[in-house]
Amino acid sequence: MARYDLAAVAARVTHPSAGFERTDVWRYRELMPIEADETPLTLGEGWTPLVRSQRIGPALGLEELYFKDEGLNPTGTFKARGMAVAVHRARALGARGVILPSAGNAGSAAAAYCAAAGLTCTVAMPESTPQPIIDECRAFGADLQLVAGSIADAGRWVRQRIAEDGSFDLSTLREPYRIEGKKTMGYELAEAFGWRLPDAIVYPTGGGTGLIAMWKAFDELETLGWIGSERPRMIAVQATGCAPIVTAFRAGADTAAPATDPETVASGLRVPSALGDFLILAALRSSGGTAVAVTDPELLDGAHRLASLEGVSAGPEAGATVAALLELLETGAIERHERVVCFVTGHGLKYPAVMSAA
Ligand SMILES: *Cc1c(COP(=O)(O)O)cnc(C)c1O
């Protein structure tokens, strides 16, 4: 993982937020992998709205529920944050092109940032990926390979291709910079709440990098002295058709066995095996959090409620967080007086067929 001279940053930036002027991931430039003389690669990702729930929270008796609306990022998901930084670094390191497997949204985000940076982009994704995401990826000029199966099969195709042509590998957690972009979600939450973290974060978990990244961000902020040692309870939500982290969490295991026959309409959650499984499980446990699974009808209902009761367009992945709230309240994993943030990781417009079929 990327490490910084945090003591030097703390000495330079005496009041958190001082000098934070940009409204993209480079807002926290001092804490990002960029040299002083480099111009950041950006399409305006990050600094997304934190929307206070108008109806879903109150109906559950949940006093302070918020939605972090990542659907408003370039390419409609938080994947843009990671790709802004990863493609920036790949270019700075001299790469001409990148390659990655994706469940869909990471691929289209990579394609967009490569288009902006002037790099070539090769993406392998499941043939079952929602058509708008496939079309988007092609529109951004990526060389797209559709594979039968899941992101695990796309990963095998990519590793074969890398062995042949030596492209720069942008696969999840095989380079350290996508995490650096995604950690800005954690910085933004801290800043939005006046450098006090919420009580719980409910996150739709596939590869889990968003969760791992926020966990890293909180440690950095504590080292800087901008927050204390308190942490939100990190809560991972998965789909019952592909819930390896939930299964491992319940079993008390440190790593997760791959899910067999992964199946869910929430394509971003169709990740049978997460490279960072041990990091996700460690963050869930040391934060006092938990992991829960919801069915496809439940998560679609959650997305519909986000749209119809809050005006927030959400993909099925984000719907899973809303679907999980009732169970989390019933089991005491969250309490009614607490400040809770659900991550709306992607925009509903990316899933028209899925959303209208429900
Ligand atoms: C990738 C993705 C997820 C899962 O994110 P991870 O941080 O990799 O677990 C959730 N929702 C959407 C819309 C995604 O694209």
Side-chain angles (χ1 to χ4, degrees):
M1 286 194 186
R3 300 286 172 209
Y4 304 85
D5 184 351
L6 296 173
V9 175
R12 253 195 326 269
V13 186
T14 45
H15 183 270
S17 314
F20 293 174
E21 276 142 25
R22 303 180 65 109
T23 51
D24 55 36
V25 289
W26 306 102
R27 179 178 185 80
Y28 309 99
R29 181 171 179 145
E30 301 252 20
L31 301 167
M32 302 295 281
I34 183 167
E35 304 294 335
D37 60 352
E38 288 172 11
T39 303
L41 175 64
T42 184
L43 291 169
E45 63 295 320
W47 205 237
T48 52
L50 188 59
V51 179
R52 184 146 184 182
S53 173
Q54 299 296 316
R55 266 163 284 278
I56 293 175
L60 291 166
L62 198 50
E63 288 162 28
E64 268 200 86
L65 176 65
Y66 291 86
F67 305 109
K68 181 74 169 155
D69 192 358
E70 293 295 306
L72 297 189
N73 276 301
T75 70
T77 75
F78 77 102
K79 296 292 196 304
R81 295 177 184 263
M83 289 306 171
V85 179
V87 175
H88 175 92
R89 284 301 294 155
R91 184 178 60 178
L93 292 168
R96 298 276 179 78
V98 306
I99 185 168
L100 70 156
S102 169
N105 289 322
S108 64
Y113 284 90
C114 282
L119 268 58
T120 64
C121 183
T122 305
V123 178
M125 60 173 69
E127 58 195 7
S128 60
T129 303
Q131 192 63 37
I133 302 175
I134 291 174
D135 293 341
E136 181 187 26
C137 210
R138 289 206 176 104
F140 286 126
D143 174 10
L144 182 62
Q145 178 71 31
L146 296 177
V147 301
S150 75
I151 185 175
D153 302 285
R156 278 186 275 280
W157 184 88
V158 161
R159 279 191 289 285
Q160 176 72 35
R161 181 74 171 260
I162 289 174
E164 288 160 14
D165 75 1
S167 306
F168 190 96
D169 187 359
L170 222 58
S171 308
T172 300
L173 295 178
R174 290 190 196 267
E175 56 76 63
Y177 303 117
R178 287 173 63 179
I179 284 249
E180 294 304 297
K182 291 178 179 182
K183 77 179 181 182
T184 56
M185 295 192 292
Y187 294 159
E188 286 178 23
L189 275 191
E191 190 178 352
F193 290 125
W195 307 98
R196 239 198 72 217
L197 299 176
D199 296 303
I201 292 176
V202 187
Y203 189 85
T205 304
T209 49
L211 206 146
I212 295 166
M214 283 191 273
W215 197 243
K216 178 175 191 276
F218 300 152
D219 281 347
E220 289 172 348
L221 293 179
E222 184 182 355
T223 305
L224 284 165
W226 296 358
I227 62 168
S229 58
E230 71 287 350
R231 291 289 183 278
R233 293 194 297 287
M234 306 299 277
I235 299 172
V237 185
Q238 299 198 296
T240 47
C242 182
I245 299 296
V246 177
T247 306
F249 183 85
R250 289 201 184 126
D254 294 333
T255 58
T260 45
D261 302 324
E263 216 34 81
T264 171
V265 293
S267 51
L269 304 185
R270 198 165 157 254
V271 181
S273 168
L275 204 56
D277 56 354
F278 64 105
L279 296 170
I280 304 168
L281 289 160
L284 299 182
R285 292 212 175 91
S286 55
S287 72
T290 188
V292 296
V294 297
T295 65
D296 275 12
E298 286 169 338
L299 59 86
L300 286 171
D301 177 64
H304 280 292
R305 280 193 285 151
L306 267 165
S308 62
L309 299 175
E310 305 280 358
V312 173
S313 177
E317 299 88 355
T321 65
V322 167
L325 287 175
L326 189 59
E327 178 183 337
L328 293 170
L329 280 165
E330 280 170 355
T331 58
I334 58 174
E335 292 181 36
R336 296 199 148 75
H337 67 274
E338 290 186 319
R339 183 176 273 175
V340 177
V341 178
C342 285
F343 266 84
V344 178
T345 43
H347 202 284
L349 278 179
K350 303 197 84 171
Y351 306 80
V354 173
M355 300 308 295
S356 61

